[in-house]
């Protein structure tokens, strides 16, 4: 087997191996890139309810009254008073935040976004442990795919032909961003503090939570 | 008929699939309590009421607290709010975006978190912006008139937590 044959076998079989994880990581990547606009893993259904106001008392009494007046399905698994008139009731997978004196409540039911939740769980390495090694191995596979890809074909469509221009274009895109945003001085550069300019990290760097 | 595992790469594919299956099998039993980030040390927890009674004595120090999770960042899971041993008292457990992601299902569960207590002195305008941001994230209504002056906030910049 010559080197190109071996290269192509590697590229082909590792490519097959990487299909599932590449789809998972790509879909999750797009989803979490926009997490400042939405929660990529969960959607929260909110329902506003009104009930006859409950007089202030100790937490257990108020919880019992709220369960009865809101016709909730039994006592909650846990509860908490965040303010004298605000009682929070926690059920399995959903919760109620009630303003006892105003007689208003919001019921929140988080629901995982099917497939996206699972993709993000893996992509963001929430399992930790052995999954870290699987993800590392996948990264190595991607590296091998990237390095073997340009040598699959030869001639005009290979690396020596037009392939080199595509490789160069692919290199220029990140380089251009790095040059403008990181390397070159100027007003366009983001703050250099750790975490600054990215979500709430910027707030924290500015002395805010 | 040709053998299915003709090349070392094909054997590698089978090996990786096996690792994936084994990893799921190993990870599955550890679901009773979930550890986030570095988890927590064996140190004794400090009562939240003690911290909030004299917060400045704890600012900059590593503290371990335990309590009921009353809220979770609904956008990124980058913070959760813990209720302590007394009514009306909570503290925000903030983690680095993306490094630790608290699930929405943590609400109502017991949790232990560890990290450094931070103090933020916000002007009225900053406090309004902060509260407005949190309300937007939680999908709640916010009345700017509810904030009447500068606000001092305390939060724990956490490196790890365990949620039941």
């Amino acid at each position: 087997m010559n080197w190109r044959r071996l290269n192509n076998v590697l590229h082909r079989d590792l490519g097959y191996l990487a299909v599932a994880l590449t789809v998972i990581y790509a879909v999750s990547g797009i989803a979490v890139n926009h997490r400042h606009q939405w929660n990529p893993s969960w959607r929260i259904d909110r329902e506003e309810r009104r009930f006859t106001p409950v007089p202030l008392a100790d937490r257990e009494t108020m919880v019992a009254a709220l369960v009865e007046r809101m016709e909730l399905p039994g006592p909650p698994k846990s509860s908490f008073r965040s303010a004298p008139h605000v009682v929070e009731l926690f059920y399995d997978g959903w919760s109620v935040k009630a303003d006892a004196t105003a007689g208003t409540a919001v019921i929140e039911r988080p629901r995982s976004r099917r497939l996206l939740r699972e993709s993000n769980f893996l992509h963001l390495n929430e399992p930790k442990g052995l999954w870290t090694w699987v993800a590392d191995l996948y990264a190595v596979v991607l590296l091998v795919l990237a390095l073997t890809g340009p040598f699959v074909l030869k001639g005009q469509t290979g690396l020596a032909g037009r392939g080199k221009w595509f490789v160069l274009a692919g290199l220029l895109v990140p380089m251009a961003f790095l040059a403008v945003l990181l390397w070159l001085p100027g007003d366009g550069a983001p703050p250099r503090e750790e975490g600054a300019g990215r979500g709430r990290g910027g707030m924290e760097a500015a002395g805010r939570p | 008929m040709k053998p299915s595992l003709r090349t070392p790469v094909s054997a590698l594919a089978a090996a990786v699939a096996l690792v994936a299956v084994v990893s799921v099998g190993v990870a599955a039993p550890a679901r009773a309590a979930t550890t986030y980030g570095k988890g927590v040390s064996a140190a004794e927890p400090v009562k939240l009421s003690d911290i909030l009674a004299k917060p400045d004595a704890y600012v900059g120090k590593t503290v371990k607290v335990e309590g009921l999770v009353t809220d979770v960042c609904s956008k990124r899971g980058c913070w959760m709010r813990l209720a302590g041993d007394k009514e009306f008292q909570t503290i925000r457990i903030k983690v680095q975006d993306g490094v630790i992601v608290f699930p929405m299902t943590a609400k109502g569960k017991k949790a232990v978190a560890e990290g450094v207590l931070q103090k933020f002195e916000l002007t009225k305008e900053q406090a309004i912006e902060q509260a407005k941001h949190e309300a937007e994230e939680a999908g709640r209504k916010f009345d700017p008139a509810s904030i009447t002056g500068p606000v001092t906030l305390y939060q724990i910049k956490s490196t790890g937590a365990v949620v039941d």
Side-chain angles (χ1 to χ4, degrees):
Chain A
M1 185 183 285
N2 64 30
W3 74 267
R4 192 180 295 277
R5 170 72 181 146
L6 178 64
N7 178 86
N8 290 3
V9 166
L10 265 176
H11 191 79
R12 180 197 66 201
D13 287 356
L14 289 179
Y16 290 141
L17 191 64
V19 167
L21 272 183
T22 303
V23 170
I24 288 170
Y25 275 53
V27 169
S28 171
I30 294 169
V32 299
N33 270 352
H34 298 274
R35 61 186 170 183
H36 58 288
Q37 294 163 321
W38 72 326
N39 185 324
S41 297
W42 301 91
R43 63 161 56 98
I44 301 170
D45 294 335
R46 291 190 173 88
E47 178 192 347
E48 293 191 9
R49 295 270 288 270
R50 291 196 163 273
F51 56 90
T52 309
V54 169
L56 296 183
D58 61 88
R59 179 167 54 90
E60 287 77 12
T61 306
M62 292 177 75
V63 166
L66 286 167
V67 168
E68 184 191 339
R69 293 187 189 189
M70 291 183 67
E71 297 180 344
L72 297 171
K77 289 181 74 177
S78 54
S79 60
F80 175 68
R81 270 215 299 181
S82 52
H85 61 292
V86 179
V87 184
E88 299 179 44
L89 299 85
F90 302 101
Y91 291 85
D92 199 8
W94 57 285
S95 61
V96 181
K97 188 169 190 174
D99 186 325
T101 51
T104 58
V106 176
I107 299 175
E108 287 191 349
R109 291 185 179 86
R111 286 191 296 133
S112 67
R113 297 183 192 275
R114 200 166 291 277
L115 296 180
L116 270 179
R117 161 71 183 138
E118 286 79 4
S119 298
N120 297 334
F121 178 75
L122 296 175
H123 179 209
L124 300 176
N125 193 17
E126 288 183 42
K128 303 277 190 308
L130 273 176
W131 182 255
T132 304
W133 294 98
V134 175
D136 286 352
L137 196 59
Y138 170 61
V140 171
V141 167
L142 282 186
L143 196 60
V144 174
L145 285 174
L147 295 176
T148 54
F151 302 103
V152 167
L153 299 174
K154 52 187 175 183
Q156 275 302 302
T157 54
L159 185 64
R162 65 176 184 169
K164 60 179 176 289
W165 301 115
F166 281 94
V167 171
L168 187 62
L171 179 65
L172 282 177
V173 172
M175 288 299 166
F177 274 84
L178 286 171
V180 172
L181 298 175
L182 192 64
W183 296 331
L184 298 176
D187 293 340
R192 302 289 170 87
E193 294 91 349
E194 186 185 355
R198 290 189 295 119
R200 304 298 292 170
M203 291 280 285
E204 199 171 338
R208 291 152 69 182
Chain B
M1 188 172 181
K2 293 176 182 176
S4 58
L5 293 179
R6 284 176 41 198
T7 67
V9 177
S10 301
L12 179 66
V16 170
L18 185 64
V19 167
V21 171
V22 170
S23 67
V24 170
V26 171
R31 288 297 172 99
T34 308
T35 299
Y36 295 90
K38 295 178 181 174
V40 294
S41 71
E44 274 296 304
V46 183
K47 285 183 178 176
L48 185 56
S49 58
D50 289 345
I51 293 174
L52 295 179
K54 293 181 180 176
D56 288 342
Y58 293 93
V59 170
K61 293 180 181 172
T62 298
V63 291
K64 180 179 167 184
V65 293
E66 60 184 4
L68 185 73
V69 181
T70 63
D71 207 357
V72 177
C73 170
S74 62
K75 272 276 173 68
R76 294 182 292 271
C78 64
W79 57 260
M80 64 177 176
R81 191 167 284 282
L82 274 193
D85 50 306
K86 289 188 177 175
E87 287 188 318
F88 319 143
Q89 292 187 338
T90 61
I91 194 160
R92 195 164 85 140
I93 310 296
K94 177 76 176 80
V95 292
Q96 197 176 342
D97 275 9
V99 177
I100 298 174
V101 181
F102 295 126
M104 294 304 299
T105 48
K107 277 178 82 168
K109 293 181 179 174
K110 295 276 185 187
V112 187
E114 193 163 23
V116 176
L117 186 72
Q118 296 178 312
K119 178 181 182 179
F120 296 93
E121 291 177 315
L122 306 184
T123 64
K124 182 183 173 184
E125 291 72 27
Q126 287 174 328
I128 288 173
E129 191 186 332
Q130 172 72 17
K132 184 181 169 194
H133 172 77
E134 284 189 16
E136 281 173 357
E137 277 196 341
R140 289 193 282 262
K141 292 169 187 167
F142 169 66
D143 177 13
S146 62
I147 293 177
T148 55
V151 172
T152 300
L153 289 179
Y154 295 93
Q155 74 175 16
I156 292 173
K157 186 65 182 288
S158 179
T159 51
V162 176
V163 179
D164 284 350

